[in-house]
Amino acid sequence: MSADLWSRALAVIPGGVNSPVRSFRGVGSTPFFVARGEGAYLWDTEGRRYVDYVLSWGPLILGHAPRVVVEALAAQLARGTSYGTPTEGEVELAERIVRLMPSIEMVRLVNSGTEATISALRVARAATGRAGMLKFTGCYHGHGDAFLVSAGSGVATLGLPDSPGVSKGAAGDTGVAPFNDLDAVEAVFKRQGDQIAAVFVEPVIGNSGLIEPMPGFLQGLRDITHRHGALLVFDEVMTGFRVALGGAQARFGITPDLTTLGKVIGGGLPVGAYGGRRDLMERVAPAGPVYQAGTLSGNPLATAAGNAQLEWLEKNDPYMRLEQVAKKVADGIASAARDAGIPAVGAAVGSMFGVFFREGAPRSYEEAKTSDTKAFGRFHRAMLERGVFLAPSAFEAGFVSTAHGDAEVSFTLAAAAEAASVAARG
Ligand SMILES: *Cc1c(COP(=O)(O)O)cnc(C)c1O
């Protein structure tokens, strides 16, 4: 059935998938088709069960089909799906984001993380009157033209350094520096600091595997941008409500000017958001002249799911326990790999984790790239055969949910011990 679906998909969808990293090309195989998800598990169309560490690439922090989200969706569904006029749900979601994200005073809801970053860049350019932007290698900020430069996993595993179809004009204003390298950032600002509208950063990289900021790095970005009149934008589409209730900005105590969100705030439905300082956000239409709009923005189903999920997170603050589970999984997989003779290192920040098949935790994408991706591909396939679904790329973070407990961790680590020895044999 799965093979049949795959050939049908290949015939009518480019590469068979609606987002490149789903293709499993990064691990040299082909995807399975999902029939349903519940809690920590996915079932494919053949009835095989997987412990899911992808969780729709981040959004499902309460696992699949959690009761609070399903009930909120059902209640909204009966009242209609979209109105194109304001609803209470979008006000509630905006209030919740403003309450929980330390630096956000006003927020605009959009439909994806990509929309959020494109819009935040537009605001930054309008506010500073500058066109330039600095990003970091291995950070992914969605597929907007200006961001498709050294953009991490989805682009990296396919070996596309840039994308055709992005004009020199669109990408030409984008500068790139290695993550955790303040000297490189200083050097760029020294040369052209008066042209840079904003520095965009994933405060914890989740799109080249998991790479943590070194002590002082994020503060250094705050200081340099202040000094040069540029804005600091935290892209917390992945880290928001994942590494702490208040995102990476709460965890590391840094106040960016603008923040982009997505994933968790939509509870598995398509959502994004950008927000920050009131004086900046008041530039957005119709309050101000910076145009940005969306037919389905603030969609009632999406805000119902997002509100239900965030309400649960706020009440239960599960982040300490999530980090313990994430750590057990990451350290356990890395140690299974090392026992089999494959150099490996694991790390967790909140509910995000990463395992690199290399010696020592990488500080940048440049270092992460030296991982043994062949061994990871063999390991990934062997884990899948044993019922564990890890992200199909050596350069993606993993995620745990509140539905992942001791039983899932034990099952995963038993599978990892076997899969590591398979991977080590080559
Ligand atoms: C996923 C992601 C995006 C893009 O969000 P989409 O909803 O896929 O458009 C942007 N930035 C970061 C950090 C992400 O992880």
Side-chain angles (χ1 to χ4, degrees), residues 19 22 56-57 59 111-117 139-144 201-207 234-239 260-263 270-272 352 396 399:
S19 196
R22 293 182 201 168
S56 188
W57 301 88
N111 299 294
S112 69
T114 294
E115 264 188 71
T117 56
C139 281
Y140 178 65
H141 303 295
H143 63 87
V201 67
E202 283 185 73
V204 178
I205 301 188
N207 282 289
F234 271 13
D235 183 353
E236 299 226 44
V237 170
M238 189 183 288
T239 54
T260 52
L261 295 169
K263 299 192 171 122
V271 178
M352 291 166 61
E396 290 290 353
F399 302 100

Side-chain angles (χ1 to χ4, degrees), residues 384-402:
L384 208 57
E385 280 166 19
R386 287 161 181 77
V388 179
F389 179 34
L390 298 169
S393 160
F395 304 113
E396 290 290 353
F399 302 100
V400 297
S401 76
T402 53

Side-chain angles (χ1 to χ4, degrees), residues 61 100-101 239-245 247 261 264-265 310 313 319:
I61 195 165
L100 296 175
M101 282 282 153
T239 54
F241 301 96
R242 266 269 164 216
V243 301
L245 195 53
L261 295 169
V264 169
I265 66 162
L310 294 191
L313 291 170
Y319 293 94

Side-chain angles (χ1 to χ4, degrees), residues 1 5 32-37 42-48 50:
M1 202 150 75
L5 277 172
F32 59 90
F33 281 77
V34 173
R36 70 185 184 95
L42 282 177
W43 282 262
D44 69 14
T45 49
E46 329 260 297
R48 291 168 45 86
Y50 305 90

